[in-house]
């Protein structure tokens, strides 16, 4: 869910014509992602080692155990959900048939 919302934010911001529109397009999905407490692999790559450096009871194996499923979930969210919906919206159902040729 997190990477899907980040992808939606980027897609919407790229589609917006004005600066306030771009800000709103980024702000709404990102705030939703934060409010839902979803995990994003890139954010976790920063915050988990920082916590470890500041003395949190977390080790490298804990970080790895977190990053692997989160990164896989982010890839599915962005690649399949966002990419699939975008392809469907641009090319219609025939766009998926074209992939299999």
């Amino acid at each position: 869910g997190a990477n899907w919302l980040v992808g939606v934010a980027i897609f919407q911001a790229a589609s917006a014509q004005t600066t306030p529109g771009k800000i709103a397009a980024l702000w709404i999905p990102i705030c939703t992602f934060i409010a839902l407490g979803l995990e994003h692999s890139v954010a976790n790559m920063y915050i988990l080692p920082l916590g470890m450096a500041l003395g949190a009871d977390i080790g490298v194996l804990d970080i790895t155990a977190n990053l692997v499923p989160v990164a896989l979930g982010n890839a599915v969210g962005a690649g399949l959900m966002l990419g699939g919906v975008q392809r469907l919206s641009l090319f219609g159902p025939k766009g998926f048939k074209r992939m299999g040729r």
Side-chain angles (χ1 to χ4, degrees):
N3 211 31
W4 179 77
L5 285 168
V6 171
V8 167
I10 293 168
F11 188 71
Q12 288 181 154
S15 300
Q17 301 296 315
T18 64
T19 300
K22 290 180 183 295
I23 292 169
L26 287 169
W27 186 78
I28 294 169
I30 300 300
C31 284
T32 303
F33 144 54
I34 293 168
L36 290 172
L38 299 173
E39 294 193 36
H40 190 269
S41 57
V42 175
N44 289 0
M45 285 178 204
Y46 168 76
I47 199 73
L48 294 175
L50 177 65
M52 188 171 74
L54 294 176
D57 187 24
I58 187 171
V60 174
L61 290 177
D62 297 319
I63 293 172
T64 304
N66 175 275
L67 286 178
V68 170
V70 171
L72 291 173
N74 289 168
V76 169
L80 296 179
M81 302 305 291
L82 185 62
V85 170
Q86 183 179 1
R87 185 170 182 90
L88 183 64
S89 69
L90 292 174
F91 300 111
K94 293 179 183 178
F96 287 104
K97 291 179 184 172
R98 198 179 314 165
M99 287 173 58
R101 291 188 187 199

